[in-house]
Amino acid sequence: MEIDDPRFTLETITHIHDWSARQRTLRITRPRGFRFTPGQFARLSIAVPGNGRLGRAFSMCSAAWDDELEFLVVRIEGGPFSSALWPLKPGDTLQLDKAPQGFLTIDRFVDGTDLWLLATGTGLAPFVSILRDPATWERFERIVLVHGVRESSELAYRGGLEPAPDHPLFENRRAAFCYLPVVTREAAFPGLRDRIPALLATGALESAAGIALSPKRSRFMLCGSPAMVEDTHRQLMKMGYRLSRLRAPAHIALENGW
């Protein structure tokens, strides 16, 4: 395959891991000079004969220091890009936009000690990268990851989100970590089973994490379905939190996961 657009590089798929029938992790080669900040995204494209280039933006899951790039992708039934992506195997190629984008990064906050990462579905992806960044663990005292899905089989990365304490990059880590899975369509799931904004409104997230929310201490990052992001943002505003902007840092950073 040849590249017909100088904005893209041709990369090779090195590994695929299926979490469920709809979700998989995709690892690809990383071009020399490709730099990104944990939390950012890049566009993947596939050239389809007779259909031009099909592409979608995905957040990097990989650490900024990783030799490869990792993405968490979801299969959209009947979606043109999914239909082109899913048959690909390790050794096949796709195109990567040279320029990463996005502002869902921890430098949106200038203070605060508790970091709440609120995700649904593949909105988890940027938070995996953020959790793989030593700066995150040095910056905050407590980190809470909330991952909402419909079925427990979609809890990608479950059990492997906290970095190993003996990893040399995390020797100076100081943050305590709490992982809260939320499953909405399994009545037998032994944990939280409501939508994230509702769990905030009732105080269930605070109770499950054992951490009280506070405008002075709490900082929130939201990523997932547009409905979750919008409703959670509104709920947090009702509770006295504000969107953090470059010229006016505050409490909330957000991004739609699709």
Side-chain angles (χ1 to χ4, degrees), residues 9-236:
T9 60
L10 188 65
E11 305 303 328
T12 302
I13 298 172
T14 62
H15 180 76
I16 293 174
H17 175 79
D18 288 321
W19 299 101
S20 69
R22 298 180 63 250
Q23 288 185 337
R24 66 174 33 167
T25 287
L26 188 75
R27 289 183 65 87
I28 67 173
T29 52
R30 180 173 181 169
R32 186 175 183 179
F34 185 90
R35 300 289 183 267
F36 70 94
T37 301
Q40 290 189 307
F41 61 86
R43 188 171 182 83
L44 298 179
S45 297
I46 302 170
V48 179
N51 205 12
R53 180 189 289 110
L54 301 175
R56 276 195 62 192
F58 295 97
S59 295
M60 273 71 71
C61 297
S62 43
W65 41 266
D66 199 327
D67 290 336
E68 296 182 332
L69 296 175
E70 184 174 310
F71 302 89
L72 178 62
V73 299
V74 64
R75 183 175 190 171
I76 306 299
E77 194 65 34
F81 183 79
S82 294
S83 298
L85 177 66
W86 235 253
L88 297 182
K89 305 296 182 185
D92 291 334
T93 58
L94 45 69
Q95 298 176 24
L96 170 74
D97 193 326
K98 295 178 181 179
Q101 302 177 58
F103 300 97
L104 191 67
T105 58
I106 63 171
D107 58 10
R108 295 294 298 271
F109 308 121
V110 298
D111 57 4
T113 58
D114 300 340
L115 179 63
W116 292 76
L117 306 173
L118 310 181
T120 53
T122 54
L124 174 71
F127 300 150
V128 175
S129 182
I130 286 170
L131 288 171
R132 287 171 166 172
D133 184 9
T136 304
W137 299 85
E138 297 168 6
R139 164 76 187 280
F140 296 95
E141 295 179 8
R142 295 181 290 191
I143 301 172
V144 181
L145 172 65
V146 182
H147 186 202
V149 296
R150 296 177 297 181
E151 301 175 354
S152 57
S153 62
E154 298 176 336
L155 289 170
Y157 294 92
R158 187 180 187 184
L161 291 165
E162 185 177 14
D166 58 350
H167 194 294
L169 285 173
F170 294 85
E171 290 179 351
N172 298 319
R173 56 173 293 187
R174 67 182 186 122
F177 180 69
C178 177
Y179 169 62
L180 297 177
V182 179
V183 178
T184 59
R185 297 190 183 179
E186 287 184 15
F189 183 75
L192 300 170
R193 294 193 298 272
D194 209 340
R195 295 185 69 233
I196 290 175
L199 295 172
L200 281 167
T202 62
L205 280 188
E206 293 176 84
S207 178
I211 300 174
L213 297 179
S214 159
K216 181 178 180 180
R217 298 180 60 90
S218 305
R219 300 296 175 264
F220 302 90
M221 304 184 84
L222 321 179
C223 189
S225 70
M228 183 282 282
V229 171
E230 180 179 356
D231 292 347
T232 302
H233 182 203
R234 286 180 178 176
Q235 178 59 39
L236 288 171

